[in-house]
Amino acid sequence: MKYDVVIIGAGVSGAAVARELSRYRVKACVLEREEDVCCGTSKANSGIVHAGYDARPGTHMAKLNILGNWMMSELTRKLDIPFKRNGSMVICTEKERLCELEELCERGKKNGVPDLRILSREEAVRREPNLADEVMYALYAPTGGIVCPFELNIALAENAYTNGIEFHFNTEALAIQKTESGFQIRTEKGNYETKIIVNAAGVYADVFHNMVSGEKMTITPRRGEYMLFDQAVGNHVLSTIFRLPDELGKGVLVTPTVHGNLLVGPTAKNLKDREALDTTADGFAAIKSQVARSVKDIPFRQVITSFAGLRACAQTSDFIIGEATDAKGFIDCAGIASPGLTSCPAIGMEVAEIAREKLNLQPNPTFCGTRKGILRPMSLRMEERNALIRGNPAYGTIVCRCESVTEGEILDAVRRPLGARSLDGVKRRTRAGMGRCQAGFCSPKVMEILAREWRVPLDQVTKCGGASRLIAGVNKDKWQGDE
């Protein structure tokens, strides 16, 4: 299989690069070892669109954070996904650290963050009444925002796919060799020949870089644990609340989500294990201890789930973006830790421009930069909803009670470009299973829909691909997936 460009990794960075590449006439594909997009770092983060005051001026992080933040409003509109500029605050609880807050403000202004200002306690509490009593000052950034990381990743990938980029799932890159014309990538499903590789492999980016380059890279997985709260307490804060950053990042934050939940986290622990996604009692204790100094009366009895993600932290403490000096055609998109989600539109543009120049790519005359998301009947007026149900009764059948997700939405999630093949795939596209009962009620019905739509036995339906099957002992003579 021969390509002009092969992207390794279908996280938010790889999908953003794919979408930008689809603006050109190019034969390109994305290789992803999992069964879907958004299965690594991109599935487990805060969903924060950072204003851009934290990164050191002159770094890739600073430049791409500012540009990505600026691009996010139009991008999310075109891709039909939720986005909200709820603003962010960095709180200061010690008078002697006010100088650090002022330095952060000046850094943000140098980076180009608009409308930054430092609030007194009285001003801050007027905006956020639940700030801790210890809070003395806050740096306020009105351009901070929140987005759904799943929906952004999926939308970027769908748009890239409909514009001609191929996606090959369950296809793990095992080895890379240089060739006269570029590179050969070995997978269990065959070899891929390509002129250019885009290395967007998250916590494994150093592994692939070091296969072709003598200038070695080190990526450190940094685990962050989170707690997600019920929508009943989603308005405990309106802005995203940070503490003054330290050497491991911005610390434990408190934020609403675009879907009305409250999110608290993450911790920050450097690890060697690139698959260590377990949550820990120590991590939750740390979250509770730290967050109490930022926001009071956090209703921990309303936690509905917890999770952990791994950030891909480079030894440079900056994004690593560009062509390897001793492996021409190998473009790194590595070390994309926070603010990687915010920066992804700008990362995609920068990487695609490198490929365009190298290959002299010409514009794709059929490129369409818009995409329609899944229709949400509950967002419609009653008369519109009734008309929709008359036309398609599946939109009148509630499958997920907690999130009011209908069978029609789940069918759309399965049938649309790069459709869902697992419970998690449906969950990330529709939110079925993300509510208070955490899929306790809706899983069997979603599994039946998946089995019917993909025409597989019920015991072949998985939680997240691979061997993650949920049931055993189905009578295959009775269930053939087409009933």
Side-chain angles (χ1 to χ4, degrees), residues 279-300:
T279 55
T280 65
D282 287 346
F284 295 151
I287 288 174
K288 289 183 177 182
S289 173
Q290 292 181 43
V291 78
R293 299 169 61 197
S294 303
V295 177
K296 62 186 177 184
D297 301 328
I298 295 286
F300 284 101

Side-chain angles (χ1 to χ4, degrees), residues 4 7 11 17 30 33 58 104 116-117 135 165 209 245 259 278 301 307 319 358 372 415 426 428 431 441 451 474:
D4 298 318
I7 301 166
V17 173
V30 180
R33 67 172 186 160
L104 196 62
L116 283 174
R117 64 190 184 100
V135 173
I165 306 297
H209 172 94
H259 296 293
D278 47 313
R301 292 179 65 85
F307 61 94
F319 299 155
K358 289 192 68 66
K372 288 298 294 179
R415 295 172 180 175
V426 170
R428 293 186 192 118
R431 294 188 58 78
F441 172 79
V474 172

Side-chain angles (χ1 to χ4, degrees), residues 89 120-132 135:
M89 286 187 185
S120 67
R121 172 172 174 78
E122 291 73 21
E123 292 173 308
V125 171
R126 278 201 296 270
R127 290 182 177 274
E128 294 291 348
N130 287 320
L131 288 178
V135 173

Side-chain angles (χ1 to χ4, degrees), residues 96-385:
E96 58 270 23
R97 296 193 71 189
L98 175 59
C99 60
E100 296 178 46
L101 202 67
E102 291 171 337
E103 290 173 4
L104 196 62
C105 184
E106 288 306 310
R107 184 189 304 171
K109 290 176 179 177
K110 288 180 181 177
N111 288 341
V113 182
D115 303 323
L116 283 174
R117 64 190 184 100
I118 293 178
L119 307 180
S120 67
R121 172 172 174 78
E122 291 73 21
E123 292 173 308
V125 171
R126 278 201 296 270
R127 290 182 177 274
E128 294 291 348
N130 287 320
L131 288 178
D133 294 338
E134 297 93 328
V135 173
M136 301 184 72
Y137 307 97
L139 174 62
Y140 178 60
T143 56
I146 48 178
V147 71
C148 177
F150 316 129
E151 292 186 66
L152 178 57
N153 197 161
I154 291 165
L156 288 165
E158 285 184 2
N159 195 220
Y161 176 78
T162 57
N163 280 299
I165 306 297
E166 300 174 19
F167 282 74
H168 299 177
F169 296 113
N170 297 308
T171 306
E172 183 175 4
L174 302 174
I176 301 172
Q177 290 183 327
K178 295 179 183 178
T179 65
E180 289 186 3
S181 58
F183 302 91
Q184 182 185 83
I185 304 171
R186 180 170 61 83
T187 79
E188 289 183 349
K189 295 185 176 180
N191 294 334
Y192 289 74
E193 305 284 342
T194 183
K195 299 171 186 175
I196 287 178
I197 290 176
V198 174
N199 174 24
V203 294
Y204 288 94
D206 57 341
V207 174
F208 295 115
H209 172 94
N210 295 341
M211 287 179 183
V212 300
S213 175
E215 298 179 2
K216 300 306 180 186
M217 178 192 295
T218 300
I219 297 293
T220 299
R222 182 173 295 163
R223 183 173 60 202
E225 300 174 54
Y226 294 87
M227 292 176 166
L228 184 70
F229 294 70
D230 189 76
Q231 292 175 348
V233 296
N235 63 352
H236 196 75
V237 297
L238 302 178
S239 309
T240 300
I241 312 298
F242 298 100
R243 292 187 59 80
L244 271 171
D246 59 22
E247 65 277 2
L248 287 179
K250 305 174 186 71
V252 171
L253 62 85
V254 186
T255 187
T257 72
V258 288
H259 296 293
N261 300 89
L262 184 73
L263 182 67
V264 176
T267 56
K269 184 175 182 180
N270 290 342
L271 305 170
K272 293 183 179 179
D273 186 352
R274 301 174 197 257
E275 302 292 335
L277 293 173
D278 47 313
T279 55
T280 65
D282 287 346
F284 295 151
I287 288 174
K288 289 183 177 182
S289 173
Q290 292 181 43
V291 78
R293 299 169 61 197
S294 303
V295 177
K296 62 186 177 184
D297 301 328
I298 295 286
F300 284 101
R301 292 179 65 85
Q302 297 288 339
V303 172
I304 60 174
T305 191
S306 58
F307 61 94
L310 295 175
R311 286 158 278 178
C313 300
Q315 75 272 25
T316 60
S317 299
D318 193 8
F319 299 155
I320 301 174
I321 297 175
E323 197 173 19
T325 55
D326 58 346
K328 297 302 181 183
F330 188 92
I331 304 171
D332 283 309
C333 184
I336 311 298
S338 178
L341 184 73
T342 310
S343 306
C344 75
I347 290 171
M349 192 166 61
E350 181 160 318
V351 173
E353 178 61 17
I354 296 171
R356 185 198 66 78
E357 289 183 355
K358 289 192 68 66
L359 298 175
N360 191 28
L361 298 177
Q362 301 303 306
N364 175 5
T366 63
F367 173 78
C368 175
T370 60
R371 160 264 192 202
K372 288 298 294 179
I374 292 172
L375 179 62
R376 314 288 181 182
M378 294 304 171
S379 68
L380 302 176
R381 295 194 302 271
M382 184 61 72
E383 58 270 24
E384 294 174 326
R385 193 187 314 165

Side-chain angles (χ1 to χ4, degrees), residues 75-89:
L75 178 66
T76 52
R77 180 184 60 79
K78 286 185 173 181
L79 297 182
D80 194 24
I81 61 173
F83 169 59
K84 182 178 181 180
R85 290 200 185 276
N86 64 320
S88 64
M89 286 187 185

